[in-house]
Amino acid sequence: MNADPPPGPSSVPTRRNRIVVPSRLIQFGLDEKFESDPYDVDLLGIITPVEYTQHVSALNSALRPARPTALDQAAFYGIGTVVFTAPCAYAVYRRKRKRKKLLMEAISRFNAANPGLFMRWNSKPSSILTIERRTSLHCVSSSSPNYMSPPVPSGRLAPSFSGAGGGEGGMTTTMDMRPMDVGGG
C-alpha cells in the first residue's frame, strides 16, 4: 500500500504567477531585445496585451543607448587580429555595465508607475525578466515605518543612506560607507 500524505499546505509547492518576458538576440548576437509581441506570452490575466506591448517597448527604447555601435561591430569582427582584441573587450565590458544600469533604471520607473505590478530582473539560475503582481513583501522599503534594516556584524562598515528627490526618475538615494560605532568600553 502506498501511504501518500493528504495534500496540504506543506506538501503543495507554492508558485507565484509571473509573466516571463522572452528575449531574442539582435545585431548578429551582440545584443538582446525583449519581445514586445504578447502572442506567445502567457499573460495570466496580470496585464493586458496592449499594456504589455507598451511597457516592453518602453523598456527596449530605454536600452537602446547600450546597443553596440558600428565601430563596436567592426572591432568584434576584426577580433582575429591582436590589435582589435583589447578595444573589443573594453567595449563589451562598457556596454554590459551601461545596459545593466539602464535596465535597472527602467525597471524602477515601471515599478513606480505601476503600483499593482512588480518587474524584476532575475539573474539566477538564468537571466530572465519577470512581471508579477505586487505582494506586501515587495512593498516594504527603507522609508516604511515597518522596515527594519538587517543587523550588521560588529567591526564592519554600515551603510548610511541620505538624499531624496530630484533627478529624472524620481527619487534618488546616495549611499556612503562610514565606520560603525561598535562601543564596548
Side-chain angles (χ1 to χ4, degrees):
M1 286 191 198
N2 192 359
D4 290 332
S10 61
S11 63
V12 177
T14 58
R15 184 157 192 253
R16 292 180 302 221
N17 288 336
R18 61 184 185 175
I19 301 168
V20 176
V21 180
S23 61
R24 59 187 164 94
L25 295 177
I26 58 171
Q27 295 183 341
F28 302 105
L30 292 177
D31 199 13
E32 185 178 21
K33 188 174 186 178
F34 295 107
E35 191 63 51
S36 61
D37 184 17
Y39 180 70
D40 287 333
V41 181
D42 187 10
L43 299 178
L44 304 168
I46 295 174
I47 193 170
T48 66
V50 173
E51 290 173 332
Y52 174 84
T53 301
Q54 290 172 348
H55 293 306
V56 175
S57 296
L59 183 67
N60 284 332
S61 297
L63 295 177
R64 182 170 286 241
R67 292 209 182 126
T69 62
L71 184 61
D72 292 337
Q73 291 177 3
F76 178 76
Y77 292 119
I79 202 160
T81 62
V82 177
V83 176
F84 291 112
T85 304
C88 182
Y90 178 71
V92 168
Y93 167 76
R94 186 186 65 225
R95 193 171 58 248
K96 282 185 177 183
R97 286 185 53 148
K98 186 174 186 178
R99 184 178 196 278
K100 179 76 172 204
K101 178 184 170 195
L102 292 172
L103 178 65
M104 291 302 151
E105 289 173 358
I107 288 173
S108 294
R109 281 194 303 271
F110 175 88
N111 290 335
N114 299 290
L117 300 174
F118 186 71
M119 184 182 282
R120 174 186 298 172
W121 177 251
N122 299 304
S123 58
K124 292 184 182 178
S126 62
S127 297
I128 57 172
L129 181 69
T130 59
I131 301 172
E132 55 194 61
R133 290 187 202 278
R134 193 176 294 262
T135 62
S136 60
L137 179 66
H138 300 131
C139 295
V140 175
S141 68
S142 59
S143 62
S144 171
N146 297 331
Y147 177 77
M148 294 182 64
S149 60
V152 179
S154 62
R156 302 268 173 116
L157 296 176
S160 171
F161 295 97
S162 63
E168 232 178 81
M171 295 185 354
T172 57
T173 304
T174 58
M175 182 173 127
D176 60 347
M177 301 298 279
R178 296 185 184 176
M180 286 180 44
D181 182 22
V182 180

